Amino acid sequence: MTTWELSLLATPEAVPEVRRLLHRYDHDVRLCVTELLTNVIDHVGAGTPATVRIAVLPSGRTRVEVTDPDPRALPLLTGPAGATDESGRGLALLDALALRWGVEQCGDRKTVWCELAGGPPLDGVRAPAATPSPAVRSGR
């Protein structure tokens, strides 16, 4: 059951706005969404349409998904980033936080997902379906 979903254009400006909208979720959920959305920006391109979903599974785990329209740009966990590297830590963080993660390819899109321990938003109610600012609205 999807508890929260947002379609947006993946831009650097959208990342903190999405994180703000997820304030009722714990830090690990917000961090994983941020890292997956940043991967879309870095590897598919700024302005790419994306969908963020968060669902509480029957197992009690929280599933985070980010879907984008490029099934070819697959995430790859590489060796550790060097001390002076400015990038390369996102998937390592995701791998460390998540119980499991993966990629689902479906036609002309892909979904990168992860499952985390923990359940619904911190206040125990469904996250608000807040109207996103212009930075996170899908292109209309």
Side-chain angles (χ1 to χ4, degrees):
M1 172 179 151
T2 298
T3 58
W4 194 89
E5 182 173 315
L6 177 67
S7 294
L8 64 139
L9 295 178
T11 63
E13 300 79 19
V15 174
E17 181 69 13
V18 171
R19 198 170 35 243
R20 185 190 65 76
L21 290 173
L22 295 174
H23 71 278
R24 291 191 171 145
Y25 286 90
D26 72 24
H27 175 74
D28 290 353
V29 169
R30 293 189 312 267
L31 182 58
C32 288
V33 168
T34 297
E35 294 304 328
L36 292 175
L37 197 52
T38 299
N39 276 352
V40 172
I41 296 164
D42 290 347
H43 301 290
V44 182
T48 298
T51 302
V52 176
R53 282 179 221 84
I54 302 173
V56 178
L57 303 175
S59 65
R61 293 178 177 178
T62 299
R63 182 174 170 113
V64 172
E65 301 179 347
V66 175
T67 301
D68 70 64
D70 189 346
R72 298 166 295 135
L74 299 176
L76 178 63
L77 184 60
T78 58
T84 59
D85 291 345
E86 293 184 15
S87 64
R89 292 176 182 81
L91 282 179
L93 281 170
L94 185 81
D95 190 59
L97 292 173
L99 299 170
R100 62 189 201 126
W101 68 276
V103 181
E104 295 173 357
Q105 293 174 286
C106 183
D108 61 350
R109 66 182 185 266
K110 74 167 172 304
T111 299
V112 183
W113 59 270
C114 67
E115 289 181 10
L116 304 160
L122 296 175
D123 62 4
V125 298
R126 189 174 184 166
T131 303
S133 73
V136 297
R137 289 196 183 152
S138 58
R140 290 186 190 169

